[in-house]
Amino acid sequence: MNPGARLVMLGKQGAGKGTQAVRLSRHYVVPHVATGDIFRAAVRSGSEFGHKARTYLDAGELVPDEIVIGMVREQLTHVEITHRGFILDGFPRTSQQAEALLGILEPKGLDLAINMKIDTDHVLKRLAARRVCSDCGANYSVVDNRPKVRGICDVCGGEVVQRDDDTESAIRRRLELYERETAPLIAWFEKRGLLANMDALGSPDEVTDRLVAEVDRRKQVL
Ligand code: AMP
C-alpha cells in the first residue's frame, strides 16, 4: 500500500469534516489543507486579500471560484513536494472547483472523496456547539469534545473561539449553498468511482476508525 493518502472531505457544514480531516492528517502524516482556515488566517492578517475574503465569509457566501482554485493550486503544488498526499477540507464546493481539482492532481489523481453523511437537525445542533482553534483550525464542541483546558487548543495551545460566521443567518445561507452547489458533487465523484459515503454520527474516535478502515480498504484495491 502507498504511504499517505490523497483525500477530499465532503459533507454539510457541521458534519465533523474539520475534526476528522485533522485526525486523518495526523494518522496518514499528510498536510491538512482547509480552504476555510486559509481564508480565516488571511482575514486575521488584515491583508487586502483578507478584507475581500471577509465580506464573503461573514455573509456565508462562497468566495469566487477563480480565487479559491488559484489558492488551492498553489497549496497543492507546494504540498505535493512531500509525495505523501493531503487531506482537502472545504474544497471542492462547486462543480467548477471539482473539475479544476482533478486537473491539478494529474497524473496521480485522488484516492477517495469521503462524504460525511448527517441530517440537518444534527448539523444545526453541532454548529451551535462548535468551537475552533483560531491558530490551527482544530475543531471542538461544547457538548462532547471540549479542549482539555478551557479555551485553549489541545493541539497547538492557540485560543479556542466560536467562529464569526457561526451565526444563524450565515449558517442558513451556507446550508442553502451546500444543497445548491456542493451536494451535486456527491454524484459527480460517485460517477468517477471515487466516492465513499460514511456515517458521520458517533464519537470522534468511532468515526475516525470507520474512515481509516474505509480509506485503507480502498487504497489496497487501488
Ligand atoms: P469552511 O471553514 O470550510 O466552512 O469555510 C468558511 C467560509 O470560507 C465559507 O463559508 C466560504 O465563505 C469560504 N470558503 C471556504 N472554502 C471555499 C470554497 N471551496 N469555495 C468558496 N468559498 C469557500
Side-chain angles (χ1 to χ4, degrees):
M1 210 189 301
N2 289 333
R6 304 163 66 80
L7 304 176
V8 159
M9 305 296 286
L10 291 174
K12 285 186 197 120
Q13 285 76 31
K17 286 194 306 290
T19 304
Q20 294 302 328
V22 170
R23 287 165 157 252
L24 291 176
S25 88
R26 277 193 235 135
H27 180 87
Y28 291 108
V29 199
V30 293
H32 170 212
V33 179
T35 42
D37 287 352
I38 299 171
F39 287 129
R40 279 185 288 278
V43 170
R44 277 200 306 280
S45 78
S47 66
E48 198 185 324
F49 178 68
H51 274 296
K52 275 197 202 140
R54 177 163 205 163
T55 56
Y56 295 100
L57 265 68
D58 283 354
E61 297 293 331
L62 293 179
V63 176
D65 280 339
E66 57 281 10
I67 297 179
V68 193
I69 291 168
M71 195 176 83
V72 169
R73 186 188 307 278
E74 200 184 295
Q75 288 282 322
L76 287 181
T77 308
H78 181 66
V79 156
E80 283 288 41
I81 295 168
T82 68
H83 295 297
R84 292 183 55 88
F86 48 82
I87 314 287
L88 261 180
D89 170 12
F91 183 95
R93 263 176 155 97
T94 66
S95 53
Q96 204 183 333
Q97 292 179 14
E99 297 279 358
L101 176 64
L102 290 200
I104 293 169
L105 294 182
E106 294 226 336
K108 285 193 196 159
L110 193 68
D111 290 338
L112 205 57
I114 297 175
N115 178 30
M116 305 271 291
K117 293 188 74 163
I118 191 165
D119 63 46
T120 303
D121 282 354
H122 273 106
V123 158
L124 292 173
K125 276 188 209 133
R126 280 196 184 181
L127 287 177
R130 175 162 76 179
R131 302 292 182 270
V132 299
C133 172
S134 55
D135 281 342
C136 75
N139 274 232
Y140 297 93
S141 161
V142 293
V143 176
D144 58 5
N145 184 25
R146 292 168 188 269
K148 291 190 183 81
V149 179
R150 192 191 167 111
I152 307 288
C153 178
D154 296 346
V155 180
C156 76
E159 191 189 358
V160 174
V161 297
Q162 184 159 30
R163 277 170 47 165
D164 289 341
D165 62 348
D166 276 347
T167 59
E168 205 189 316
S169 64
I171 289 172
R172 205 174 314 119
R173 181 65 182 146
R174 295 204 320 269
L175 287 170
E176 249 170 53
L177 283 171
Y178 171 81
E179 293 300 338
R180 197 179 80 201
E181 303 288 343
T182 312
L185 298 184
I186 295 166
W188 191 92
F189 279 109
E190 188 162 34
K191 215 165 83 189
R192 288 159 180 79
L194 289 171
L195 187 78
N197 280 309
M198 304 298 294
D199 182 359
L201 288 183
S203 72
D205 283 348
E206 279 163 10
V207 178
T208 306
D209 289 350
R210 212 178 286 153
L211 298 186
V212 166
E214 179 63 13
V215 172
D216 288 349
R217 194 181 69 76
R218 295 288 184 125
K219 282 174 49 176
Q220 246 153 7
V221 177
L222 285 176

